[in-house]
Amino acid sequence: GQSLEQPSEVTAVEGAIVQINCTYQTSGFYGLSWYQQHDGGAPTFLSYNALDGLEETGRFSSFLSRSDSYGYLLLQELQMKDSASYFCAGRDAGKSTFGDGTTLTVKP
Amino acid sequence: EPEVTQTPSHQVTQMGQEVILRCVPISNHLYFYWYRQILGQKVEFLVSFYNNEISEKSEIFDDQFSVERPDGSNFTLKIRSTKLEDSAMYFCASMGEGSRNSPLHFGNGTRLTVT
């Protein structure tokens, strides 16, 4: 099975940079995904790291270190619309297992 | 862009009743999933389905739950005798080729309220 830990809440100001960390304990680990969820709506895919290193997609970047069982999501140039819940999810052969989620609040 | 659709958006039922939640995955996807999210909590895996059979299920997915792909487009979750603790948002998801980089595509969910 898999278990993933991430902070429950993060607050930052508009225009800032924020990093959401995720540590995991898992067997059969393929990679780490990140999903965004607004107000209980559909989780939407942000990024996936199968290999160690940084993946960049616009304002969002994600990092994975397999040796440390650790990853993070980096959000740059924060906007008010980035206020949401962010979930890391560990991928194995059969499914993705989600962390508890981090609620990001962006303040003006 | 193709999307996963779920119906109904909200279902209210009495304890002990059967409910069927419906999903239409993205048409060329091969892997299908049900997840649930109790209000304010994390997204929990229920079951995965591939090649017309369950590939994996969680401890939550007990004998009261079943899934079916009755035709080429629909994917359903049935709860035989609902309990109060089944109240949650149920998300259907599908995935394409199954490569390690393929993302899950989620529907907008069905909010199930058991009274």
Side-chain angles (χ1 to χ4, degrees), chain A residues 51-94:
Chain A
L51 303 175
D52 284 2
L54 193 67
E55 294 281 343
E56 297 180 71
T57 309
R59 294 188 297 114
F60 294 179
S61 303
S62 59
F63 173 83
L64 177 65
S65 169
R66 285 175 170 268
S67 58
D68 296 322
S69 297
Y70 163 77
Y72 66 72
L73 179 70
L74 190 74
L75 299 88
Q76 303 183 72
E77 301 173 18
L78 281 175
Q79 302 174 8
M80 297 297 289
K81 67 178 182 179
D82 297 330
S83 292
S85 292
Y86 292 84
F87 294 87
C88 59
R91 176 88 166 260
D92 62 27

Side-chain angles (χ1 to χ4, degrees), chain B residues 33-50:
Chain B
Y33 305 83
W34 283 100
Y35 284 80
R36 80 170 186 191
Q37 186 177 32
I38 295 171
L39 186 63
Q41 299 186 23
K42 68 177 177 182
V43 179
E44 299 176 289
F45 169 75
L46 293 179
V47 66
S48 58
F49 192 88
Y50 170 72

Side-chain angles (χ1 to χ4, degrees), chain A residues 1-76:
Chain A
Q2 299 191 42
S3 69
L4 300 99
E5 291 190 11
Q6 51 183 128
S8 58
E9 295 180 348
V10 173
T11 302
V13 296
E14 215 172 356
I17 299 172
V18 72
Q19 179 173 311
I20 300 174
N21 298 321
C22 176
T23 57
Y24 61 87
Q25 293 181 336
T26 182
S27 57
F29 179 79
Y30 278 13
L32 194 69
S33 302
W34 289 92
Y35 288 82
Q36 180 191 60
Q37 186 183 39
H38 280 102
D39 295 329
T44 55
F45 174 78
L46 294 176
S47 69
Y48 177 70
N49 294 71
L51 303 175
D52 284 2
L54 193 67
E55 294 281 343
E56 297 180 71
T57 309
R59 294 188 297 114
F60 294 179
S61 303
S62 59
F63 173 83
L64 177 65
S65 169
R66 285 175 170 268
S67 58
D68 296 322
S69 297
Y70 163 77
Y72 66 72
L73 179 70
L74 190 74
L75 299 88
Q76 303 183 72

